[in-house]
PDB file of all heavy atoms in Angstrom:
ATOM      1  N   ILE S 145     -41.575  74.530  27.400  1.00 95.00           N
ATOM      2  CA  ILE S 145     -42.665  74.174  26.478  1.00 95.00           C
ATOM      3  C   ILE S 145     -43.991  74.165  27.226  1.00 95.00           C
ATOM      4  O   ILE S 145     -45.005  74.688  26.745  1.00 95.00           O
ATOM      5  CB  ILE S 145     -42.382  72.815  25.816  1.00 95.00           C
ATOM      6  CG1 ILE S 145     -41.166  72.925  24.886  1.00 95.00           C
ATOM      7  CG2 ILE S 145     -43.598  72.323  25.034  1.00 95.00           C
ATOM      8  CD1 ILE S 145     -40.643  71.596  24.384  1.00 95.00           C
ATOM      9  N   ALA S 146     -43.987  73.611  28.441  1.00 95.00           N
ATOM     10  CA  ALA S 146     -45.214  73.587  29.237  1.00 95.00           C
ATOM     11  C   ALA S 146     -45.710  75.003  29.509  1.00 95.00           C
ATOM     12  O   ALA S 146     -46.898  75.294  29.402  1.00 95.00           O
ATOM     13  CB  ALA S 146     -44.968  72.855  30.560  1.00 95.00           C
ATOM     14  N   ARG S 147     -44.785  75.890  29.835  1.00 94.00           N
ATOM     15  CA  ARG S 147     -45.180  77.271  30.098  1.00 94.00           C
ATOM     16  C   ARG S 147     -45.782  77.911  28.851  1.00 94.00           C
ATOM     17  O   ARG S 147     -46.768  78.629  28.921  1.00 94.00           O
ATOM     18  CB  ARG S 147     -43.970  78.081  30.564  1.00 94.00           C
ATOM     19  CG  ARG S 147     -44.304  79.558  30.774  1.00 94.00           C
ATOM     20  CD  ARG S 147     -43.107  80.344  31.173  1.00 94.00           C
ATOM     21  NE  ARG S 147     -42.049  80.219  30.193  1.00 94.00           N
ATOM     22  CZ  ARG S 147     -40.796  80.594  30.396  1.00 94.00           C
ATOM     23  NH1 ARG S 147     -40.447  81.096  31.545  1.00 94.00           N
ATOM     24  NH2 ARG S 147     -39.895  80.441  29.458  1.00 94.00           N
ATOM     25  N   ALA S 148     -45.166  77.613  27.699  1.00 94.00           N
ATOM     26  CA  ALA S 148     -45.690  78.180  26.460  1.00 94.00           C
ATOM     27  C   ALA S 148     -47.092  77.651  26.166  1.00 94.00           C
ATOM     28  O   ALA S 148     -47.903  78.336  25.553  1.00 94.00           O
ATOM     29  CB  ALA S 148     -44.750  77.865  25.305  1.00 94.00           C
ATOM     30  N   LEU S 149     -47.372  76.419  26.620  1.00 95.00           N
ATOM     31  CA  LEU S 149     -48.687  75.841  26.337  1.00 95.00           C
ATOM     32  C   LEU S 149     -49.740  76.236  27.363  1.00 95.00           C
ATOM     33  O   LEU S 149     -50.919  75.937  27.202  1.00 95.00           O
ATOM     34  CB  LEU S 149     -48.579  74.307  26.301  1.00 95.00           C
ATOM     35  CG  LEU S 149     -47.779  73.722  25.135  1.00 95.00           C
ATOM     36  CD1 LEU S 149     -47.609  72.225  25.319  1.00 95.00           C
ATOM     37  CD2 LEU S 149     -48.471  74.024  23.817  1.00 95.00           C
ATOM     38  N   ALA S 150     -49.317  76.920  28.431  1.00 94.00           N
ATOM     39  CA  ALA S 150     -50.223  77.192  29.544  1.00 94.00           C
ATOM     40  C   ALA S 150     -51.460  77.960  29.114  1.00 94.00           C
ATOM     41  O   ALA S 150     -52.539  77.758  29.651  1.00 94.00           O
ATOM     42  CB  ALA S 150     -49.482  77.962  30.638  1.00 94.00           C
ATOM     43  N   LEU S 151     -51.338  78.836  28.137  1.00 93.00           N
ATOM     44  CA  LEU S 151     -52.480  79.650  27.720  1.00 93.00           C
ATOM     45  C   LEU S 151     -53.231  79.020  26.548  1.00 93.00           C
ATOM     46  O   LEU S 151     -54.043  79.692  25.909  1.00 93.00           O
ATOM     47  CB  LEU S 151     -52.008  81.056  27.338  1.00 93.00           C
ATOM     48  CG  LEU S 151     -51.360  81.861  28.475  1.00 93.00           C
ATOM     49  CD1 LEU S 151     -50.897  83.212  27.965  1.00 93.00           C
ATOM     50  CD2 LEU S 151     -52.325  82.039  29.627  1.00 93.00           C
ATOM     51  N   ASN S 152     -52.952  77.750  26.280  1.00 93.00           N
ATOM     52  CA  ASN S 152     -53.632  77.070  25.187  1.00 93.00           C
ATOM     53  C   ASN S 152     -53.501  77.757  23.841  1.00 93.00           C
ATOM     54  O   ASN S 152     -54.499  77.935  23.129  1.00 93.00           O
ATOM     55  CB  ASN S 152     -55.130  76.955  25.496  1.00 93.00           C
ATOM     56  CG  ASN S 152     -55.416  75.640  26.164  1.00 93.00           C
ATOM     57  OD1 ASN S 152     -54.795  74.623  25.808  1.00 93.00           O
ATOM     58  ND2 ASN S 152     -56.322  75.662  27.110  1.00 93.00           N
ATOM     59  N   PRO S 153     -52.290  78.154  23.449  1.00 94.00           N
ATOM     60  CA  PRO S 153     -52.170  78.827  22.155  1.00 94.00           C
ATOM     61  C   PRO S 153     -52.335  77.820  21.024  1.00 94.00           C
ATOM     62  O   PRO S 153     -52.174  76.617  21.224  1.00 94.00           O
ATOM     63  CB  PRO S 153     -50.736  79.369  22.193  1.00 94.00           C
ATOM     64  CG  PRO S 153     -49.998  78.389  23.038  1.00 94.00           C
ATOM     65  CD  PRO S 153     -50.981  77.894  24.070  1.00 94.00           C
ATOM     66  N   LYS S 154     -52.678  78.337  19.853  1.00 94.00           N
ATOM     67  CA  LYS S 154     -52.786  77.465  18.691  1.00 94.00           C
ATOM     68  C   LYS S 154     -51.463  77.433  17.918  1.00 94.00           C
ATOM     69  O   LYS S 154     -51.236  76.565  17.097  1.00 94.00           O
ATOM     70  CB  LYS S 154     -53.906  77.974  17.772  1.00 94.00           C
ATOM     71  CG  LYS S 154     -55.294  77.690  18.293  1.00 94.00           C
ATOM     72  CD  LYS S 154     -55.695  76.261  18.007  1.00 94.00           C
ATOM     73  CE  LYS S 154     -56.156  75.583  19.295  1.00 94.00           C
ATOM     74  NZ  LYS S 154     -55.854  74.170  19.386  1.00 94.00           N
ATOM     75  N   ILE S 155     -50.632  78.435  18.198  1.00 95.00           N
ATOM     76  CA  ILE S 155     -49.379  78.554  17.456  1.00 95.00           C
ATOM     77  C   ILE S 155     -48.209  78.517  18.435  1.00 95.00           C
ATOM     78  O   ILE S 155     -48.253  79.162  19.489  1.00 95.00           O
ATOM     79  CB  ILE S 155     -49.332  79.896  16.682  1.00 95.00           C
ATOM     80  CG1 ILE S 155     -50.503  79.967  15.709  1.00 95.00           C
ATOM     81  CG2 ILE S 155     -48.009  80.053  15.957  1.00 95.00           C
ATOM     82  CD1 ILE S 155     -50.693  81.335  15.114  1.00 95.00           C
ATOM     83  N   LEU S 156     -47.201  77.753  18.094  1.00 95.00           N
ATOM     84  CA  LEU S 156     -45.989  77.733  18.895  1.00 95.00           C
ATOM     85  C   LEU S 156     -44.820  78.153  18.006  1.00 95.00           C
ATOM     86  O   LEU S 156     -44.586  77.561  16.956  1.00 95.00           O
ATOM     87  CB  LEU S 156     -45.747  76.317  19.435  1.00 95.00           C
ATOM     88  CG  LEU S 156     -45.256  76.172  20.878  1.00 95.00           C
ATOM     89  CD1 LEU S 156     -46.075  77.002  21.835  1.00 95.00           C
ATOM     90  CD2 LEU S 156     -45.282  74.709  21.297  1.00 95.00           C
ATOM     91  N   LEU S 157     -44.101  79.194  18.440  1.00 95.00           N
ATOM     92  CA  LEU S 157     -42.914  79.628  17.708  1.00 95.00           C
ATOM     93  C   LEU S 157     -41.697  79.109  18.457  1.00 95.00           C
ATOM     94  O   LEU S 157     -41.529  79.384  19.650  1.00 95.00           O
ATOM     95  CB  LEU S 157     -42.860  81.153  17.628  1.00 95.00           C
ATOM     96  CG  LEU S 157     -44.111  81.835  17.071  1.00 95.00           C
ATOM     97  CD1 LEU S 157     -43.943  83.346  17.096  1.00 95.00           C
ATOM     98  CD2 LEU S 157     -44.394  81.375  15.661  1.00 95.00           C
ATOM     99  N   LEU S 158     -40.870  78.322  17.786  1.00 95.00           N
ATOM    100  CA  LEU S 158     -39.762  77.669  18.468  1.00 95.00           C
ATOM    101  C   LEU S 158     -38.437  78.197  17.914  1.00 95.00           C
ATOM    102  O   LEU S 158     -38.143  78.028  16.736  1.00 95.00           O
ATOM    103  CB  LEU S 158     -39.853  76.152  18.268  1.00 95.00           C
ATOM    104  CG  LEU S 158     -41.167  75.545  18.782  1.00 95.00           C
ATOM    105  CD1 LEU S 158     -41.703  74.536  17.812  1.00 95.00           C
ATOM    106  CD2 LEU S 158     -40.986  74.946  20.150  1.00 95.00           C
ATOM    107  N   ASP S 159     -37.674  78.845  18.782  1.00 93.00           N
ATOM    108  CA  ASP S 159     -36.410  79.442  18.356  1.00 93.00           C
ATOM    109  C   ASP S 159     -35.266  78.509  18.737  1.00 93.00           C
ATOM    110  O   ASP S 159     -34.872  78.446  19.890  1.00 93.00           O
ATOM    111  CB  ASP S 159     -36.245  80.797  19.039  1.00 93.00           C
ATOM    112  CG  ASP S 159     -35.023  81.547  18.520  1.00 93.00           C
ATOM    113  OD1 ASP S 159     -34.348  81.020  17.618  1.00 93.00           O
ATOM    114  OD2 ASP S 159     -34.753  82.645  19.023  1.00 93.00           O
ATOM    115  N   GLU S 160     -34.745  77.780  17.782  1.00 92.00           N
ATOM    116  CA  GLU S 160     -33.652  76.823  18.036  1.00 92.00           C
ATOM    117  C   GLU S 160     -33.929  76.006  19.289  1.00 92.00           C
ATOM    118  O   GLU S 160     -33.128  76.008  20.235  1.00 92.00           O
ATOM    119  CB  GLU S 160     -32.324  77.570  18.200  1.00 92.00           C
ATOM    120  CG  GLU S 160     -31.931  78.436  17.028  1.00 92.00           C
ATOM    121  CD  GLU S 160     -30.945  77.743  16.096  1.00 92.00           C
ATOM    122  OE1 GLU S 160     -30.761  76.517  16.230  1.00 92.00           O
ATOM    123  OE2 GLU S 160     -30.390  78.423  15.223  1.00 92.00           O
ATOM    124  N   PRO S 161     -35.035  75.286  19.337  1.00 92.00           N
ATOM    125  CA  PRO S 161     -35.435  74.683  20.608  1.00 92.00           C
ATOM    126  C   PRO S 161     -34.469  73.621  21.128  1.00 92.00           C
ATOM    127  O   PRO S 161     -34.516  73.278  22.304  1.00 92.00           O
ATOM    128  CB  PRO S 161     -36.796  74.059  20.296  1.00 92.00           C
ATOM    129  CG  PRO S 161     -36.781  73.839  18.833  1.00 92.00           C
ATOM    130  CD  PRO S 161     -35.968  74.944  18.256  1.00 92.00           C
ATOM    131  N   THR S 162     -33.612  73.076  20.274  1.00 91.00           N
ATOM    132  CA  THR S 162     -32.758  71.984  20.752  1.00 91.00           C
ATOM    133  C   THR S 162     -31.269  72.252  20.577  1.00 91.00           C
ATOM    134  O   THR S 162     -30.456  71.397  20.889  1.00 91.00           O
ATOM    135  CB  THR S 162     -33.085  70.670  20.014  1.00 91.00           C
ATOM    136  OG1 THR S 162     -32.898  70.878  18.616  1.00 91.00           O
ATOM    137  CG2 THR S 162     -34.496  70.223  20.278  1.00 91.00           C
ATOM    138  N   SER S 163     -30.897  73.441  20.107  1.00 87.00           N
ATOM    139  CA  SER S 163     -29.485  73.608  19.774  1.00 87.00           C
ATOM    140  C   SER S 163     -28.604  73.713  21.013  1.00 87.00           C
ATOM    141  O   SER S 163     -27.398  73.538  20.928  1.00 87.00           O
ATOM    142  CB  SER S 163     -29.279  74.824  18.874  1.00 87.00           C
ATOM    143  OG  SER S 163     -29.574  75.987  19.583  1.00 87.00           O
ATOM    144  N   ALA S 164     -29.201  73.965  22.179  1.00 85.00           N
ATOM    145  CA  ALA S 164     -28.384  74.026  23.386  1.00 85.00           C
ATOM    146  C   ALA S 164     -28.333  72.675  24.095  1.00 85.00           C
ATOM    147  O   ALA S 164     -27.768  72.567  25.166  1.00 85.00           O
ATOM    148  CB  ALA S 164     -28.931  75.092  24.337  1.00 85.00           C
ATOM    149  N   LEU S 165     -28.931  71.664  23.488  1.00 88.00           N
ATOM    150  CA  LEU S 165     -29.051  70.371  24.180  1.00 88.00           C
ATOM    151  C   LEU S 165     -28.174  69.307  23.542  1.00 88.00           C
ATOM    152  O   LEU S 165     -27.793  69.406  22.380  1.00 88.00           O
ATOM    153  CB  LEU S 165     -30.514  69.901  24.137  1.00 88.00           C
ATOM    154  CG  LEU S 165     -31.549  70.886  24.663  1.00 88.00           C
ATOM    155  CD1 LEU S 165     -32.949  70.348  24.435  1.00 88.00           C
ATOM    156  CD2 LEU S 165     -31.326  71.144  26.139  1.00 88.00           C
ATOM    157  N   ASP S 166     -27.883  68.278  24.315  1.00 87.00           N
ATOM    158  CA  ASP S 166     -27.162  67.132  23.770  1.00 87.00           C
ATOM    159  C   ASP S 166     -28.027  66.421  22.734  1.00 87.00           C
ATOM    160  O   ASP S 166     -29.256  66.466  22.797  1.00 87.00           O
ATOM    161  CB  ASP S 166     -26.839  66.143  24.896  1.00 87.00           C
ATOM    162  CG  ASP S 166     -25.599  66.572  25.656  1.00 87.00           C
ATOM    163  OD1 ASP S 166     -24.666  67.059  25.004  1.00 87.00           O
ATOM    164  OD2 ASP S 166     -25.575  66.426  26.876  1.00 87.00           O
ATOM    165  N   VAL S 167     -27.365  65.715  21.797  1.00 87.00           N
ATOM    166  CA  VAL S 167     -28.127  65.126  20.690  1.00 87.00           C
ATOM    167  C   VAL S 167     -29.159  64.110  21.164  1.00 87.00           C
ATOM    168  O   VAL S 167     -30.254  64.012  20.607  1.00 87.00           O
ATOM    169  CB  VAL S 167     -27.201  64.475  19.639  1.00 87.00           C
ATOM    170  CG1 VAL S 167     -26.547  65.536  18.803  1.00 87.00           C
ATOM    171  CG2 VAL S 167     -26.183  63.567  20.271  1.00 87.00           C
ATOM    172  N   SER S 168     -28.826  63.340  22.199  1.00 87.00           N
ATOM    173  CA  SER S 168     -29.796  62.329  22.646  1.00 87.00           C
ATOM    174  C   SER S 168     -31.015  63.006  23.267  1.00 87.00           C
ATOM    175  O   SER S 168     -32.140  62.511  23.162  1.00 87.00           O
ATOM    176  CB  SER S 168     -29.143  61.390  23.648  1.00 87.00           C
ATOM    177  OG  SER S 168     -28.706  62.114  24.775  1.00 87.00           O
ATOM    178  N   ILE S 169     -30.793  64.150  23.903  1.00 90.00           N
ATOM    179  CA  ILE S 169     -31.903  64.904  24.490  1.00 90.00           C
ATOM    180  C   ILE S 169     -32.690  65.589  23.378  1.00 90.00           C
ATOM    181  O   ILE S 169     -33.917  65.698  23.422  1.00 90.00           O
ATOM    182  CB  ILE S 169     -31.380  65.967  25.484  1.00 90.00           C
ATOM    183  CG1 ILE S 169     -30.401  65.346  26.469  1.00 90.00           C
ATOM    184  CG2 ILE S 169     -32.521  66.639  26.209  1.00 90.00           C
ATOM    185  CD1 ILE S 169     -30.990  64.292  27.350  1.00 90.00           C
ATOM    186  N   GLN S 170     -31.971  66.034  22.344  1.00 92.00           N
ATOM    187  CA  GLN S 170     -32.638  66.659  21.203  1.00 92.00           C
ATOM    188  C   GLN S 170     -33.699  65.731  20.636  1.00 92.00           C
ATOM    189  O   GLN S 170     -34.816  66.150  20.348  1.00 92.00           O
ATOM    190  CB  GLN S 170     -31.606  66.985  20.113  1.00 92.00           C
ATOM    191  CG  GLN S 170     -32.238  67.250  18.767  1.00 92.00           C
ATOM    192  CD  GLN S 170     -31.248  67.795  17.754  1.00 92.00           C
ATOM    193  OE1 GLN S 170     -30.723  68.872  17.929  1.00 92.00           O
ATOM    194  NE2 GLN S 170     -31.011  67.053  16.703  1.00 92.00           N
ATOM    195  N   ALA S 171     -33.353  64.445  20.501  1.00 92.00           N
ATOM    196  CA  ALA S 171     -34.309  63.489  19.951  1.00 92.00           C
ATOM    197  C   ALA S 171     -35.571  63.435  20.806  1.00 92.00           C
ATOM    198  O   ALA S 171     -36.688  63.434  20.293  1.00 92.00           O
ATOM    199  CB  ALA S 171     -33.662  62.102  19.868  1.00 92.00           C
ATOM    200  N   GLU S 172     -35.386  63.445  22.143  1.00 93.00           N
ATOM    201  CA  GLU S 172     -36.552  63.389  23.028  1.00 93.00           C
ATOM    202  C   GLU S 172     -37.435  64.616  22.852  1.00 93.00           C
ATOM    203  O   GLU S 172     -38.665  64.507  22.780  1.00 93.00           O
ATOM    204  CB  GLU S 172     -36.095  63.310  24.495  1.00 93.00           C
ATOM    205  CG  GLU S 172     -35.405  62.007  24.845  1.00 93.00           C
ATOM    206  CD  GLU S 172     -34.846  62.034  26.259  1.00 93.00           C
ATOM    207  OE1 GLU S 172     -35.232  62.933  27.035  1.00 93.00           O
ATOM    208  OE2 GLU S 172     -34.025  61.154  26.571  1.00 93.00           O
ATOM    209  N   ILE S 173     -36.805  65.781  22.785  1.00 94.00           N
ATOM    210  CA  ILE S 173     -37.589  67.017  22.670  1.00 94.00           C
ATOM    211  C   ILE S 173     -38.299  67.079  21.314  1.00 94.00           C
ATOM    212  O   ILE S 173     -39.476  67.453  21.231  1.00 94.00           O
ATOM    213  CB  ILE S 173     -36.670  68.251  22.855  1.00 94.00           C
ATOM    214  CG1 ILE S 173     -36.044  68.249  24.251  1.00 94.00           C
ATOM    215  CG2 ILE S 173     -37.436  69.547  22.623  1.00 94.00           C
ATOM    216  CD1 ILE S 173     -37.004  68.519  25.380  1.00 94.00           C
ATOM    217  N   LEU S 174     -37.598  66.687  20.249  1.00 95.00           N
ATOM    218  CA  LEU S 174     -38.235  66.717  18.926  1.00 95.00           C
ATOM    219  C   LEU S 174     -39.431  65.761  18.881  1.00 95.00           C
ATOM    220  O   LEU S 174     -40.494  66.105  18.360  1.00 95.00           O
ATOM    221  CB  LEU S 174     -37.221  66.355  17.833  1.00 95.00           C
ATOM    222  CG  LEU S 174     -36.082  67.356  17.606  1.00 95.00           C
ATOM    223  CD1 LEU S 174     -35.198  66.907  16.456  1.00 95.00           C
ATOM    224  CD2 LEU S 174     -36.606  68.757  17.358  1.00 95.00           C
ATOM    225  N   ASN S 175     -39.261  64.576  19.459  1.00 94.00           N
ATOM    226  CA  ASN S 175     -40.380  63.632  19.506  1.00 94.00           C
ATOM    227  C   ASN S 175     -41.556  64.222  20.277  1.00 94.00           C
ATOM    228  O   ASN S 175     -42.711  64.121  19.867  1.00 94.00           O
ATOM    229  CB  ASN S 175     -39.949  62.317  20.171  1.00 94.00           C
ATOM    230  CG  ASN S 175     -39.079  61.480  19.257  1.00 94.00           C
ATOM    231  OD1 ASN S 175     -39.039  61.720  18.049  1.00 94.00           O
ATOM    232  ND2 ASN S 175     -38.368  60.519  19.819  1.00 94.00           N
ATOM    233  N   LEU S 176     -41.226  64.850  21.416  1.00 95.00           N
ATOM    234  CA  LEU S 176     -42.274  65.455  22.235  1.00 95.00           C
ATOM    235  C   LEU S 176     -43.016  66.535  21.455  1.00 95.00           C
ATOM    236  O   LEU S 176     -44.255  66.594  21.465  1.00 95.00           O
ATOM    237  CB  LEU S 176     -41.651  66.047  23.505  1.00 95.00           C
ATOM    238  CG  LEU S 176     -42.583  66.908  24.362  1.00 95.00           C
ATOM    239  CD1 LEU S 176     -43.610  66.026  25.060  1.00 95.00           C
ATOM    240  CD2 LEU S 176     -41.819  67.716  25.383  1.00 95.00           C
ATOM    241  N   LEU S 177     -42.258  67.367  20.745  1.00 96.00           N
ATOM    242  CA  LEU S 177     -42.887  68.453  19.995  1.00 96.00           C
ATOM    243  C   LEU S 177     -43.818  67.897  18.917  1.00 96.00           C
ATOM    244  O   LEU S 177     -44.942  68.389  18.738  1.00 96.00           O
ATOM    245  CB  LEU S 177     -41.809  69.348  19.364  1.00 96.00           C
ATOM    246  CG  LEU S 177     -41.079  70.282  20.337  1.00 96.00           C
ATOM    247  CD1 LEU S 177     -39.912  70.960  19.647  1.00 96.00           C
ATOM    248  CD2 LEU S 177     -42.035  71.331  20.893  1.00 96.00           C
TER     249      LEU S 177
END
Side-chain angles (χ1 to χ4, degrees):
Chain S
I145 293 169
R147 177 182 57 193
L149 292 173
L151 298 178
N152 267 323
K154 285 280 127 213
I155 301 169
L156 221 48
L157 307 178
L158 302 137
D159 186 2
E160 303 262 13
T162 58
S163 67
L165 306 174
D166 278 322
V167 284
S168 61
I169 310 297
Q170 163 170 296
E172 292 174 15
I173 298 290
L174 293 183
N175 286 344
L176 171 72
L177 285 172

